[in-house]
Amino acid sequence: MSRLLGPVELAVRQQCKTGESPVWDAPRACLWWVDINGPTLFRLAPATGAVREWHFGEAIGCVARFSDGALLLALRSGLVRFDPDTGTQTALTPAPYDPSRYRFNDGKVDPQGRFWVGTMHEPRTERSAQLYCLTAEGLEARAGDVMVSNGLAWSPDGTRLYHSDTRAHAIYTYPMDPATGAIGARSIFASLPPEGGRPDGAAMDCEGGYWSAQFAGGRVLRFAPDGTITDAISLPVSRPTMVAFGGPDRQTLYITSAAEGLTAEQRAADPLAGSLFSLRVAVPGEAIPAVAYPLSGT
């Protein structure tokens, strides 16, 4: 059974260096995303097509939302609370790494409102990146042994955490206690051949399907809970970076992409690289809650 209700459409034509972290904001009926190395925060109002931008002085790994309309931004230097209406930034916690060698990458809120964020080793020579959970005491390392932390998602019942290492072409899963956020030993969920792209950002649908953008593979894959591929969606760009469900019914799949690293010849063959795309799907995505605020211990 096809889970697609229509073709892939161009939502916003851009040339983001590394478009990432699409997040649907139901109260505002808008989509947030970032250009990590832009470094720029974007907001799309699908009803009107209006796009607004906020520019920053350092890389933005990802974005999440608070229930009062403020945003959590994972800047290279640390996590901040950002008010898009006033432009005010408030520091939450500093980065737990050497910013000359690491930066924050993929981050997401779990079903209980805990914010998780991974890092990447920028020289890409060590599997020394970490996955952190934000607690009342700060950022607590929960998993490691990856080079580029990516692909965060949770099973609909909250008992499985999904996490990928883009450079290792691997998607992992961990047993998780939803009440505490404690995770167990990781296991391989899917290993992907190098020629099909690398597993980047991901999202979960209400049937437990794991949707994964395949960087340098020009496609999005949907995996069933047992790890088998049920859908492969070709895209008009070679470097999709992340997917997120949005819209009032959470049946619009948004897809960010990247242009950074392409040669002039590759850019000519990939003119939409860095743009935002959308796709209507039959199965709604799991809702992503706001960051629990004020922060509580986990």
Side-chain angles (χ1 to χ4, degrees):
M1 180 189 75
S2 174
R3 292 168 181 82
L4 310 184
L5 297 179
V8 176
E9 297 183 349
L10 178 64
V12 180
R13 184 170 189 138
Q14 294 174 306
Q15 288 190 331
C16 285
K17 294 179 180 179
T18 310
E20 269 280 8
S21 192
V23 174
W24 179 252
D25 187 335
R28 291 182 184 241
C30 70
L31 184 82
W32 301 96
W33 75 103
V34 303
D35 181 353
I36 293 178
N37 294 316
T40 306
L41 169 70
F42 298 97
R43 183 180 70 196
L44 167 68
T48 64
V51 177
R52 186 174 172 188
E53 303 178 8
W54 291 260
H55 300 277
F56 294 81
E58 56 182 307
I60 314 169
C62 58
V63 57
R65 63 182 188 86
F66 291 105
S67 59
D68 64 358
L71 302 174
L72 189 159
L73 302 181
L75 303 180
R76 181 184 291 274
S77 60
L79 304 185
V80 302
R81 175 185 168 90
F82 175 68
D83 186 336
D85 295 325
T86 66
T88 303
Q89 290 186 44
T90 305
L92 295 177
T93 186
Y97 51 70
D98 177 355
S100 70
R101 301 177 65 235
Y102 299 88
R103 67 162 171 79
F104 285 122
N105 200 45
D106 183 54
K108 191 172 287 184
V109 182
D110 75 15
Q112 286 69 41
R114 291 177 289 252
F115 179 68
W116 297 68
V117 62
T119 59
M120 63 176 288
H121 182 250
E122 286 194 308
R124 296 175 178 84
T125 57
E126 301 174 2
R127 294 175 63 87
S128 56
Q130 298 285 320
L131 175 63
Y132 296 90
C133 183
L134 180 62
T135 74
E137 288 72 42
L139 287 164
E140 179 181 306
R142 295 289 174 90
D145 189 31
V146 295
M147 192 177 294
V148 180
S149 177
N150 242 319
L152 286 171
W154 287 265
S155 61
D157 65 3
T159 63
R160 295 176 73 189
L161 164 67
Y162 293 81
H163 181 220
S164 69
D165 184 352
T166 302
R167 282 281 166 158
H169 297 264
I171 303 170
Y172 306 111
T173 184
Y174 303 74
M176 177 169 154
D177 182 340
T180 66
I183 61 174
R186 81 181 184 190
S187 57
I188 293 287
F189 175 67
S191 293
L192 298 161
E195 63 272 12
R198 304 193 289 271
D200 208 316
M204 183 67 61
D205 70 29
C206 291
E207 292 182 348
Y210 179 85
W211 297 70
S212 172
Q214 300 296 297
F215 187 87
R219 59 183 184 159
V220 169
L221 300 179
R222 181 190 183 271
F223 295 85
D226 65 0
T228 59
I229 296 172
T230 64
D231 298 84
I233 301 125
S234 296
L235 301 172
V237 286
S238 62
R239 295 186 170 187
T241 53
M242 190 170 177
V243 296
F245 292 94
D249 55 6
R250 300 198 306 277
Q251 287 181 242
T252 298
L253 188 73
Y254 288 100
I255 308 159
T256 51
S257 66
E260 193 167 39
L262 295 175
T263 65
E265 183 179 1
Q266 288 171 328
R267 280 178 180 260
D270 199 354
L272 296 178
S275 296
L276 175 73
F277 301 88
S278 64
L279 171 68
R280 292 290 292 166
V281 296
V283 179
E286 283 289 297
I288 305 298
V291 179
Y293 188 78
L295 298 174
S296 59
T298 57

